[in-house]
Amino acid sequence: VSAVVTGVLALVFSIYMLIGGPRLTAQCRRLAITYLPGRVADPLLSVTRLTADTFTRYVSGQLTEACILGVLCFLGMCLFQFDYAPLISVIIGVSALIPVAGAYIGAAVAVLLLVMIEPMQAVWFLIFLVVLQQLEGNIIYPRVVGTSLGLPGIWVLAAVTLGGKLMGIVGMLFFIPLCSVFYALFRGFVKDQLVQKHVPDSKWQSAPPRPR
């Protein structure tokens, strides 16, 4: 009962925050400007804005990646003539929103549905899903999520690996947007240092010449 009440209150609280988001943000901004020194308030507001934008793009990237995975699963199931293609594709796409465990949950439900029709079809579908998950995890996911965050694919893979090792599923959820925030801040810091040293743009923006 306590868990249900807490969940309902959290949902209602989240809805109220979303409805009054702009007003609440403006109030927090006024408080920071009023009670904090300018040299503290300006960087704090800038980092907060960057973090909020990054997490927004991360969620949109996750939804896009889940839709791509669901469509690819549907096309593959139609190509190989598996049963329940629309239903299973929706299950795989929705479960992809859950890091790590989502792939196993979606696969278990899909295999359970197919094994009741034909066990051998369930085995072939499982092989197809493993190949699709590898393609999605190593090629599609870093490109889609990395593009939405402005983060190179190699750093997306590094953030997922490091976050999973340190904090499990929670780390995999939050390390990608956090890594994107730090990447943007560090990139801006390096750019400012290059400008202060009067390094021309052509020297650090272009790729180095290839040796002959």
Side-chain angles (χ1 to χ4, degrees):
V1 173
S2 176
V4 172
V5 172
T6 303
V8 172
L9 289 177
L11 178 61
V12 173
F13 188 73
S14 301
I15 293 174
Y16 272 99
M17 286 190 66
L18 289 175
I19 294 175
R23 185 176 181 181
L24 182 62
T25 303
Q27 291 174 348
C28 293
R29 187 182 298 113
R30 286 196 294 268
L31 285 175
I33 295 174
T34 302
Y35 293 103
L36 294 177
R39 57 187 177 83
V40 176
D42 292 340
L44 177 62
L45 292 175
S46 178
V47 172
T48 303
R49 190 179 302 111
L50 174 63
T51 303
D53 293 341
T54 300
F55 272 82
T56 301
R57 293 196 302 270
Y58 174 67
V59 172
S60 64
Q62 286 285 97
L63 293 175
T64 303
E65 185 266 341
C67 292
I68 292 175
L69 180 62
V71 171
L72 290 178
C73 182
F74 176 75
L75 295 177
M77 292 188 70
C78 291
L79 178 63
F80 295 109
Q81 298 181 349
F82 291 122
D83 294 316
Y84 298 129
L87 176 61
I88 292 177
S89 300
V90 172
I91 293 174
I92 295 298
V94 173
S95 63
L97 297 173
I98 306 173
V100 184
Y104 299 101
I105 294 173
V109 175
V111 169
L112 182 62
L113 288 173
L114 292 176
V115 78
M116 292 186 295
I117 300 176
E118 185 180 348
M120 199 61 196
Q121 184 178 163
V123 174
W124 285 113
F125 172 79
L126 188 60
I127 296 174
F128 160 74
L129 187 60
V130 169
V131 174
L132 181 61
Q133 290 286 357
Q134 291 297 319
L135 175 67
E136 179 264 344
N138 295 301
I139 299 178
I140 300 176
Y141 186 84
R143 289 184 177 274
V144 172
V145 178
T147 301
S148 65
L149 295 177
L151 191 66
I154 183 64
W155 295 115
V156 174
L157 287 175
V160 170
T161 304
L162 182 61
K165 290 291 184 181
L166 294 179
M167 300 177 62
I169 296 178
V170 177
M172 298 185 73
L173 272 174
F174 292 104
F175 261 59
I176 295 178
L178 287 177
C179 183
S180 177
V181 171
F182 287 122
Y183 178 81
L185 293 174
F186 186 70
R187 182 178 58 186
F189 173 76
V190 172
K191 185 177 180 180
D192 292 339
Q193 294 295 316
L194 291 172
V195 171
Q196 291 179 7
K197 293 182 178 181
H198 305 289
V199 179
D201 294 347
S202 59
K203 189 172 182 179
W204 58 273
Q205 287 185 349
S206 60
R210 295 181 179 180
R212 297 181 178 178

